[in-house]
């Protein structure tokens, strides 16, 4: 037994400096685009319920649910007879006041001539001037009434306020619509935005990322951040991000995911090892293993390693080494493996 222990002790100096065979990979070959995502949806900036602005009967409805409309297209026609009659009455009232005003103005001018010769009392002059001013105010009020009547006539035909899609028809021919009665629901077709609820960490990453896109039904749509709303929802503790499409966009209401690029210099989680309580990787430094901690690395998750792409990373064999261990590249063949033999001595047969 003592001889065995002595033999093992004699072998230790010879084996303590042995090189561990490992394989190497360039860091640039391990990098991949690390992405994260969050649920998101496409929303229209305007999706109003179009309501009646008159008390009138519906004469006709020009659109159905699902129809695409352009700004200014007629949607609903209301009975306009009463509105037109009110306009005619207002115009007639204006003509009446203008005729009265013409006579009152003539009376004021005549009173001015009579007052020069003291043939009219001061009180009569004031009365005539007051009547002229009253009629001038009546004319202004009547012009405003005409404008109101013109607006009412214009509201007899309900037109599309923007390009959009009719999502619901509520008006029916023959129904009596009061002011505020819903007639149609219209969704604006453009511009559209993406809305996503993000936790504070996600919001910070989205604010700094350039590689943003919206994914829905297997398609990708590039987007650009418009704003992260400066408000945290009290229930979900999230903030809303609003993003605009760079070019093409899906239909309003489409659900999908907002995807952003975390880093293009991430390495797979399996290359991370824990040494002295830290997560990191092993570099190959001319035959020596060097442990390099990965900043902000998390167990089981990819890590960002921002070193030169040509940096050699220890691949196979990394689990059994420590910082400062001697290692050798197992890919480099030894002299014997390469078929190199010592030079032969003189031929003794000669």
């Amino acid at each position: 037994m003592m001889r065995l222990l002595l033999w093992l002790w004699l072998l230790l100096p010879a084996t303590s400096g042995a090189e561990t065979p490992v394989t190497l990979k360039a860091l640039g070959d391990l990098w991949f685009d690390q992405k994260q995502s969050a649920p998101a949806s496409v929303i229209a900036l305007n999706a109003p319920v179009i309501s009646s602005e008159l008390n009138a009967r519906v004469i006709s409805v020009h659109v159905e649910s699902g129809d695409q409309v352009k700004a200014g297209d007629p949607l609903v026609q209301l009975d306009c007879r009463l509105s037109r009659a009110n306009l005619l009455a207002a115009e007639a009232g204006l003509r009446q006041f203008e005729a009265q005003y013409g006579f009152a103005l003539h009376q004021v001018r005549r009173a001015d001539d009579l007052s020069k010769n003291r043939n009219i009392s001061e009180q009569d002059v004031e009365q005539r001037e007051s009547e002229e001013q009253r009629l001038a105010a009546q004319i202004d009020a009547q012009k405003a009434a005409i404008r109101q009547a013109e607006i009412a006539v214009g509201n007899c035909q309900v037109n599309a306020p923007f390009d959009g899609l009719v999502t619901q028809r509520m008006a029916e021919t023959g129904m009596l619509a009061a002011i505020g009665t819903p007639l149609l629901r219209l969704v604006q077709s453009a511009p559209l935005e993406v809305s996503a609820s993000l936790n504070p960490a996600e919001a910070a990453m989205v604010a700094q990322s350039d590689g943003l896109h919206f994914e829905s039904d297997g398609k990708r749509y590039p987007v650009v951040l418009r704003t992260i709303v400066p408000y945290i929802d009290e229930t979900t503790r999230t903030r809303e991000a609003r993003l605009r499409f760079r070019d093409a966009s899906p239909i309003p209401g489409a659900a999908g995911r907002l995807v952003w690029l975390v880093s293009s210099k991430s390495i797979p989680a399996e290359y991370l090892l824990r040494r002295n309580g830290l997560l990191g990787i092993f570099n190959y430094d001319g035959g020596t293993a060097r442990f390099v901690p990965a900043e902000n690395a998390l167990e089981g998750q990819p890590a960002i390693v921002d070193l030169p792409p040509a940096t050699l990373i220890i691949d196979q064999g990394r689990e059994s080494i420590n910082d400062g261990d001697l290692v050798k590249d197992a890919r480099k063949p030894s002299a014997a493996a390469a078929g190199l033999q010592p030079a032969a001595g003189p031929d003794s047969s000669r």
Side-chain angles (χ1 to χ4, degrees):
M1 183 67 177
M2 291 297 296
R3 287 185 177 182
L4 177 60
L5 292 175
L6 180 61
W7 180 76
L8 291 174
W9 180 80
L10 291 172
L11 287 178
L12 283 176
T15 60
S16 59
E19 297 176 328
T20 303
V22 296
T23 61
L24 308 176
K25 283 188 177 181
L27 176 61
D29 294 336
L30 300 179
W31 279 339
F32 70 94
D33 290 345
Q34 182 184 354
K35 299 177 181 179
Q36 282 187 239
S37 66
S41 59
V42 179
I43 60 174
L45 296 183
N46 295 293
V49 173
I50 307 298
S51 302
S52 173
E53 297 183 61
L54 297 175
N55 296 318
R57 194 169 300 280
V58 176
I59 299 300
S60 60
V61 182
H62 302 295
V63 293
E64 299 292 342
S65 296
D67 287 354
Q68 295 277 355
V69 296
K70 297 289 186 181
D73 285 354
L75 304 177
V76 178
Q77 181 65 51
L78 301 175
D79 187 352
C80 207
R81 290 176 296 174
L82 180 59
S83 297
R84 289 199 179 95
N86 290 337
L87 176 59
L88 292 175
E91 290 173 342
L94 177 62
R95 291 193 295 271
Q96 179 183 358
F97 286 129
E98 286 177 339
Q100 292 174 357
Y101 178 78
F103 177 74
L105 184 60
H106 173 73
Q107 289 294 91
V108 169
R109 290 172 179 172
R110 185 174 180 183
D112 288 340
D113 293 338
L114 292 174
S115 65
K116 293 176 182 179
N117 298 322
R118 300 184 179 220
N119 291 329
I120 190 173
S121 67
E122 185 175 344
Q123 181 179 0
D124 287 341
V125 173
E126 292 177 351
Q127 285 180 346
R128 295 184 184 187
E129 290 177 346
S130 175
E131 179 66 8
E132 184 262 341
Q133 294 171 1
R134 184 186 71 82
L135 289 171
Q138 286 277 22
I139 288 174
D140 291 339
Q142 198 63 22
K143 287 180 178 179
I146 290 175
R147 181 59 187 148
Q148 292 176 355
E150 289 173 342
I151 292 173
V153 170
N155 290 333
C156 292
Q157 180 170 285
V158 181
N159 298 323
F162 45 69
D163 296 353
L165 172 72
V166 178
T167 59
Q168 186 179 4
R169 168 185 164 174
M170 293 164 274
E172 297 180 1
T173 300
M175 68 177 279
L176 181 61
I179 295 176
T181 298
L183 302 175
L184 300 164
R185 184 180 295 276
L186 189 64
V187 174
Q188 191 173 21
S189 54
L192 303 176
E193 287 191 348
V194 173
S195 173
S197 295
L198 308 173
N199 62 44
E202 292 172 336
M205 286 188 287
V206 168
Q208 297 174 358
S209 178
D210 293 327
L212 298 169
H213 65 270
F214 176 74
E215 290 186 358
S216 179
D217 293 331
K219 296 182 179 180
R220 297 177 52 175
Y221 303 90
V223 293
V224 60
L225 180 65
R226 180 174 68 81
T227 186
I228 295 179
V229 179
Y231 170 77
I232 298 179
D233 186 273
E234 296 178 357
T235 303
T236 61
R237 310 307 300 172
T238 58
R239 297 174 64 182
E240 184 187 20
R242 287 295 191 96
L243 306 99
R244 291 174 175 166
F245 291 96
R246 290 185 181 273
D247 37 54
S249 63
I251 61 175
R257 299 191 71 83
L258 172 65
V259 182
W260 62 91
L261 179 66
V262 177
S263 173
S264 59
K265 296 182 178 180
S266 295
I267 65 170
E270 58 263 28
Y271 283 90
L272 297 176
L273 298 169
R274 188 172 290 278
R275 296 291 185 270
N276 298 323
L278 299 175
L279 286 173
I281 58 174
F282 277 104
N283 288 2
Y284 179 80
D285 184 13
T288 303
R290 298 297 183 193
F291 182 75
V292 180
E295 222 175 291
N296 302 320
L298 298 175
E299 196 84 46
Q301 296 186 18
I304 301 172
V305 179
D306 191 6
L307 295 172
T311 302
L312 293 177
I313 305 300
I314 297 176
D315 184 11
Q316 297 179 16
R318 64 185 181 275
E319 293 85 358
S320 59
I321 60 176
N322 291 296
D323 184 55
D325 284 357
L326 297 179
V327 293
K328 64 178 179 179
D329 187 356
R331 298 174 303 177
K332 293 182 179 179
S334 64
L340 300 177
Q341 300 295 335
D347 192 347
S348 59
S349 62
R350 291 186 179 180

